[in-house]
Amino acid sequence: MNAGIDHDATGEGDSAAHTDAPAELTAGSDWADARELLYDMVSTPSVSGDEEAAAEVLKAFFEAHDREVWIDEVGNVRAPADDSVLLTSHIDTVPGDIPVTVEDGALWGRGSVDATGPLCSMAAAAVETGVSFVGVVGEETTSRGAWHLVEDREEPDAVVNGEPSGWDGVTLGYRGFLSGTYVATSELGHSSRPEDNAIQSAVAWWSRVADFFDEDRDGVFDTVTTKPVNFDGGPTEDGLAVEATVDVQFRVPPRLSIDDVREVAEGELTRGSVHWNKPIPPVMMSPRTDVARAFRVAIRGVGDTKPRLLRKTGTSDMNIFAGTWDCPMATYGPGDSDLDHAPNEHLELDEFDDAIDVLVTVCERLADD
C-alpha cells in the first residue's frame, strides 16, 4: 500500500483544504484528507463547460501528494501511474445552487453524489495505491473529456468509472444513446388539400417509430426508450413551403446495436431524412471479469454484505470507454443515484469512507493480479 495520503483524523493534511470546512467534516474519519478534498470540490462550482476552477483544486490535491499531474487541452485532470487500473470520473455537474453544508454526517451540495463523491473517492484511492487517475470534463453534456481520453492514451489493463452506485453496488451495464434531427419539407398549399404536409409527415413518422419500439419486455433496461425532445414546424420564410423538424432521442439496450435502431427509424421514412449525431453504444460487462470479482470481494470485506450488481437505464462515460478499449471495466461510487440532479442532493460521509476502502482493496487486488 502506498502511504501517500494523510490519514490524520484531525484533517490537518498537506493538501490545500479550505479553512472554513466545519469540524464535523473530518471528525472520526480515517480519510480526513479525502473528505477535505470532497468539501473543496463541492464548494467549487463546476457546471459542465465551466470546470476550470474545480480542475485546479483536483490538480492541487495530486501535487500535494507528489503525483505527476497536469490538465490537458480539453480540461481533463491527468495523473498517470500504474495502469493496472485506471480510475476515472467526471468533474462537471449539472446546474443547481444547493448550499454546501455538513449536517448529521452528510455533505449537502450540487455534485456531492453526481459525481464529485465518486470522483474524490477515486482520487484518494489513486493516491493511496499508486494507480492511474483521470478526472474528465463534459460528461453531463457531450462527454468531450471521455472522447478525448480514448483517442489520446493507450488502453489500460482495467477501468473503473465513477458514478454513484452506492458503496455496496457495482454497475456493469448501461443503455446506449442515439440522437438525431428529422427534417422534412413540403409545398405550401391550401389547408383543404388532402395530401399530408411536412408537419403531418413528421408526426406520422415519429408515431410509427415509437409504435415499433413499444414492446412488452421485462424491465426498462431491455427496452428501447423513444423520446421526442423538440418539435418545430410551419411555413418557411419565403411562404412557399412547409418545413418540420423533430429532435429525437433513443436509449438503446445492449441486446440491440445502434445500427439496429437507426435502421428501424430510417425504414419508417416516407418523406424527409434524419441527421444523426455521434452515438454512444450500449455496454454490458460480464460479472465474471477480474474487475467485477475484485469488487465483490472488496465489498464483502469492507461491510460483510452481499454486493449488488446493477444495470442502469441511462448512459455514462463507461459506454465510451467500452466502445474503444477491450479491457474489463465497471462503474462504482458512493451515493444514492436517486439524488442525481435533485434539489436535495447529499452524500453520507461514512459511505464515502467505505467507498474509498472498497476502491483501495480493488486496486490492490487488480495490481497484484
Side-chain angles (χ1 to χ4, degrees):
M1 178 181 292
N2 187 324
I5 193 166
D6 179 15
H7 293 266
D8 181 1
T10 65
E12 297 174 353
D14 54 357
S15 66
H18 286 159
T19 57
D20 58 353
E24 184 184 354
L25 176 71
T26 57
S29 174
D30 290 334
W31 296 104
D33 210 21
R35 286 190 179 189
E36 289 173 342
L37 172 66
L38 175 65
Y39 186 89
D40 285 359
M41 290 290 288
V42 174
S43 299
T44 306
S46 55
V47 174
S48 197
D50 191 19
E51 303 100 330
E52 292 86 353
E56 290 292 345
V57 173
L58 186 59
K59 177 172 175 279
F61 177 80
F62 281 92
E63 289 174 335
H65 292 288
D66 298 323
R67 280 285 298 266
E68 177 187 7
V69 62
W70 74 90
I71 298 175
D72 69 19
E73 54 265 43
V74 301
N76 295 332
V77 177
R78 310 273 287 268
D82 179 0
D83 249 6
S84 58
V85 189
L86 170 63
L87 300 178
T88 177
S89 185
H90 61 94
I91 301 170
D92 61 315
T93 70
V94 296
D97 185 12
I98 302 173
V100 180
T101 60
V102 178
E103 299 176 9
D104 299 324
L107 174 67
W108 293 68
R110 175 58 78 220
S112 55
V113 171
D114 185 18
T116 308
L119 176 76
C120 293
S121 66
M122 288 185 164
V127 166
E128 181 73 9
T129 63
V131 302
S132 293
F133 171 91
V134 180
V136 297
V137 293
E139 191 273 347
E140 298 288 1
T141 52
T142 63
S143 286
R144 70 186 188 280
W147 285 116
H148 178 73
L149 193 64
V150 296
E151 295 167 358
D152 191 59
R153 78 164 341 259
E154 294 182 356
E155 175 183 310
D157 294 338
V159 175
V160 180
N161 182 55
E163 293 283 355
S165 59
W167 80 269
D168 61 344
V170 57
T171 304
L172 300 179
Y174 284 96
R175 292 192 298 177
F177 182 73
L178 174 65
S179 65
T181 300
Y182 168 93
V183 179
T185 305
S186 63
E187 290 185 358
L188 184 64
H190 196 278
S191 60
S192 65
R193 291 174 59 177
E195 298 89 355
D196 284 354
N197 62 22
I199 296 173
Q200 291 170 295
S201 295
V203 171
W205 170 73
W206 183 250
S207 295
R208 291 191 299 270
V209 173
D211 287 345
F212 184 93
F213 290 116
D214 186 17
E215 303 170 284
D216 184 17
R217 287 194 167 264
D218 294 332
V220 176
F221 184 80
D222 290 320
T223 301
V224 177
T225 300
T226 58
K227 292 289 182 183
V229 294
N230 188 61
F231 199 115
D232 190 24
T236 56
E237 289 186 5
D238 60 13
L240 300 178
V242 175
E243 187 176 67
T245 62
V246 188
D247 293 330
V248 299
Q249 295 180 354
F250 301 86
R251 297 286 179 170
V252 183
R255 66 181 181 84
L256 298 174
S257 70
I258 294 292
D259 287 342
D260 291 333
V261 174
R262 196 156 40 199
E263 183 178 347
V264 169
E266 292 176 350
E268 296 294 343
L269 290 170
T270 58
R271 170 186 275 154
S273 60
V274 185
H275 304 279
W276 300 108
N277 300 318
K278 189 174 184 177
I280 300 175
V283 58
M284 187 68 228
M285 286 284 161
S286 167
R288 292 179 291 276
T289 67
D290 291 344
V291 174
R293 282 195 294 267
F295 270 107
R296 291 201 298 273
V297 170
I299 290 168
R300 289 193 183 100
V302 169
D304 193 25
T305 189
K306 182 178 180 181
R308 297 177 298 115
L309 302 182
L310 307 174
R311 303 181 305 172
K312 296 291 186 71
T313 58
T315 306
S316 79
D317 281 344
M318 186 171 101
N319 298 65
I320 295 171
F321 302 140
T324 304
W325 293 333
D326 185 22
C327 64
M329 59 186 69
T331 293
Y332 177 79
D336 180 355
S337 59
D338 288 342
L339 298 176
D340 290 5
H341 307 181
N344 61 336
E345 186 174 3
H346 63 279
L347 176 64
E348 298 292 334
L349 291 169
D350 285 346
E351 178 175 352
F352 176 72
D353 289 358
D354 287 343
I356 299 174
D357 289 336
V358 168
L359 285 166
V360 167
T361 301
V362 166
C363 291
E364 290 176 341
R365 182 180 178 90
L366 291 174
D368 288 344
D369 290 344

